[in-house]
Amino acid sequence: MAAKTFAPVSLRSAAAPKGLSKTFLGQPAQLKATRAQTARVNVSTSAKLETATSQLPLEMEELPLAVNTWKNKNPLPCKVRSVERIVGPKATGETCHIVIETDKKAPFWEGQSYGIVPPGTKINSKGKEVPHGVRLYSIASTRYGDFYDGETTSLCVRRAVYWDPEMGAEDPAKKGICSNFLCDAAPGTEVALTGPTGKVMLMPEDPNTCYIMVATGTGIAPYRSFWRRMFYERPPNFEFTGLAWLFMGVANSDAKLYDDELQDIIAAYPDQFRVDYALSREQNNTKGGKMYIQDKVEEYKEQVFDLLDNGAHMYFCGLKGMMPGIEEMLKNVCAEKGLEYKEWLEGLKSKEQWHVEVY
Ligand code: FAD
Ligand code: A2P
């Protein structure tokens, strides 16, 4: 991707939103209070956020962008190193952090996805027994993995459960095939990996970029790769001087994902990193309805529009269902500002500032 340049975003240049602490990026105190409730991910992070730059096999910076190195018919056999539930007991579902040993055989760039082909077969619409199809998962680690050696990669997987409408509500929940296979995998389990795929969620080369990252649920995965590259790794060609602002939508405090890492970064880089949560089942929006991610972004519409005007990149990842609400909100803000929504959006797209990956 072409490097993006724009005037450095001074994090203190915008007015602090009402109710927030002195620094523009300071965290509202009430968000800190819930931190202890969140399960910790057992990865090699430091509360002090010591930079891992010296441990990185930096030759991996030189690797070209790879697409579909490993195809569906010839996947890379890998082993699961660990599976850890990363949500608290009151979360509305189960989400796991899964570390997979790739042994440097499937290099990728931050923002890409891998495919996993679950074991077993299914009967297709023609009555024939065929292998299960591939499922995509956003990669939740940087190219160096959670151990900074490039030997592993990580996924953030939510167990899919559903009720078969033909069987009615009485029927026990059915389990999504691949997500349950991954979340139940014991260390050492073999997984068939394809990819990497995807280009829409890549990071701009310029380390002085502003990122506005919007996630629902496991949509946080690619952003974890971003924040670890920006703040934990800081390779010499990517010493991050920009701003990263995460808007995260989950049901409740127990469903927060990687909040321990987020709070460590806020403590270490309060002027460069900010997180705002939309807790749909704990908070209400201004109309008294559920606090969804679009409502939270709307609260900061002035700052968000200013940052976009100054070249910020806006990313959306997670539930497909959030996009109509996001678009509606942005359309309304454009109308308030006398902007033509379609033109405004086309402008962002043409400058490669707009990144959407929803599923
Ligand atoms: P499946 O067995 O494929 O079932 C999937 C869903 O289909 C069910 O939950 C249900 O809603 C529906 N369904 C299937 N059969 C029936 C039926 N008989 N009756 C009613 N409903 C039914 N997921 C993540 O957890 N983390 C990620 O980071 C992630 N990244 C993604 C990135 C991309 C680009 C894409 C496209 C998807 C991503 N996904 C991610 C979603 C993931 O690919 C899978 O779709 C998801 O894990 C479900 O797969 P499964 O095999 O477990 O469920
Ligand atoms: P809720 O489940 O309270 O309706 P999930 O945990 O299922 O991945 O969802 C992540 C978050 O996205 C939850 O807070 C969920 O809220 C919320 N959500 C669900 N539907 C939408 C939507 N249409 N727009 C925005 N957020 C949504």
Side-chain angles (χ1 to χ4, degrees):
M1 273 181 92
K4 297 279 171 294
T5 50
F6 61 91
V9 180
S10 164
L11 308 181
R12 293 171 197 276
S13 65
K18 256 192 181 163
L20 295 192
S21 55
K22 278 173 275 158
T23 52
F24 174 52
L25 293 176
Q27 285 299 295
Q30 71 270 19
L31 293 185
K32 285 186 177 159
T34 55
R35 188 184 164 201
Q37 299 165 357
T38 312
R40 291 187 75 87
V41 177
N42 187 21
V43 292
S44 52
T45 61
S46 145
K48 290 200 183 96
L49 223 59
E50 278 156 23
T51 310
T53 322
S54 62
Q55 300 174 48
L56 306 175
L58 285 172
E59 65 278 7
M60 291 180 80
E61 290 297 311
E62 308 300 324
L63 294 171
L65 179 68
V67 177
N68 280 327
T69 313
W70 297 94
K71 315 242 176 334
N72 298 1
K73 293 223 160 114
N74 183 28
L76 173 69
C78 299
K79 287 218 155 62
V80 169
R81 181 176 291 188
S82 61
V83 175
E84 189 183 358
R85 177 185 164 106
I86 55 168
V87 289
K90 293 186 187 139
T92 45
E94 181 165 52
T95 304
C96 295
H97 181 75
I98 299 171
V99 179
I100 296 174
E101 293 169 356
T102 49
D103 302 331
K104 290 197 177 139
K105 290 185 186 139
F108 65 93
W109 284 6
E110 294 74 17
Q112 289 193 285
S113 301
Y114 277 138
I116 300 287
V117 187
T121 57
K122 63 171 185 178
I123 305 297
N124 73 9
S125 54
K126 293 176 190 149
K128 198 174 154 207
E129 187 173 354
V130 292
H132 284 304
V134 70
R135 271 71 162 176
L136 296 182
Y137 294 93
S138 306
I139 302 172
S141 73
T142 70
R143 66 193 71 191
Y144 301 107
D146 290 351
F147 304 95
Y148 308 121
D149 55 9
E151 303 282 343
T152 67
T153 193
S154 306
L155 305 179
C156 174
V157 178
R158 182 185 164 108
R159 274 184 199 276
V161 280
Y162 59 90
W163 276 266
D164 188 335
E166 281 180 22
M167 303 298 286
E170 301 300 307
D171 193 44
K174 296 241 166 64
K175 293 175 164 188
I177 301 214
C178 193
S179 57
N180 282 274
F181 161 67
L182 288 170
C183 291
D184 288 333
T189 302
E190 193 168 285
V191 292
L193 184 136
T194 69
T197 62
K199 293 184 180 173
V200 291
M201 298 293 282
L202 296 178
M203 304 171 79
E205 282 169 23
D206 186 350
N208 189 31
T209 298
C210 171
Y211 293 70
I212 303 168
M213 304 171 287
V214 180
T216 43
T218 55
I220 200 170
Y223 308 141
R224 181 174 185 265
S225 76
F226 294 3
W227 77 61
R228 289 180 66 89
R229 184 165 172 80
M230 291 164 175
F231 300 110
Y232 284 64
E233 295 177 349
R234 305 181 72 76
N237 49 320
F238 195 81
E239 286 181 34
F240 186 62
T241 51
L243 159 64
W245 191 351
L246 173 66
F247 288 95
M248 178 63 199
V250 286
N252 57 32
S253 302
D254 266 19
K256 288 179 176 179
L257 302 169
Y258 305 112
D259 189 58
D260 53 345
E261 294 189 9
L262 299 176
Q263 300 305 327
D264 285 349
I265 301 170
I266 288 162
Y269 296 91
D271 288 352
Q272 280 187 278
F273 192 57
R274 171 176 179 145
V275 181
D276 282 283
Y277 280 105
L279 303 176
S280 59
R281 304 194 194 180
E282 279 181 17
Q283 301 169 330
N284 288 325
N285 62 21
T286 51
K287 290 170 206 127
K290 272 188 175 184
M291 174 64 86
Y292 273 163
I293 198 70
Q294 52 271 33
D295 306 311
K296 190 47 75 178
V297 176
E298 190 179 13
E299 282 180 23
Y300 298 97
K301 58 191 175 187
E302 298 304 332
Q303 288 90 340
V304 167
F305 271 64
D306 279 356
L307 290 168
L308 288 170
D309 271 354
N310 283 299
H313 283 239
M314 193 154 192
Y315 291 81
F316 298 91
C317 192
L319 292 180
K320 208 183 275 175
M322 77 170 151
M323 286 319 286
I326 292 274
E327 282 160 21
E328 168 95 21
M329 179 274 292
L330 293 173
K331 219 178 260 178
N332 291 341
V333 180
C334 279
E336 284 169 24
K337 290 179 173 293
L339 296 167
E340 172 53 46
Y341 173 68
K342 274 197 181 149
E343 217 174 275
W344 175 82
L345 187 59
E346 281 314 311
L348 293 177
K349 286 183 181 168
S350 69
K351 287 181 257 161
E352 295 179 27
Q353 287 171 254
W354 188 255
H355 310 259
V356 181
E357 188 155 89
V358 287
Y359 43 88

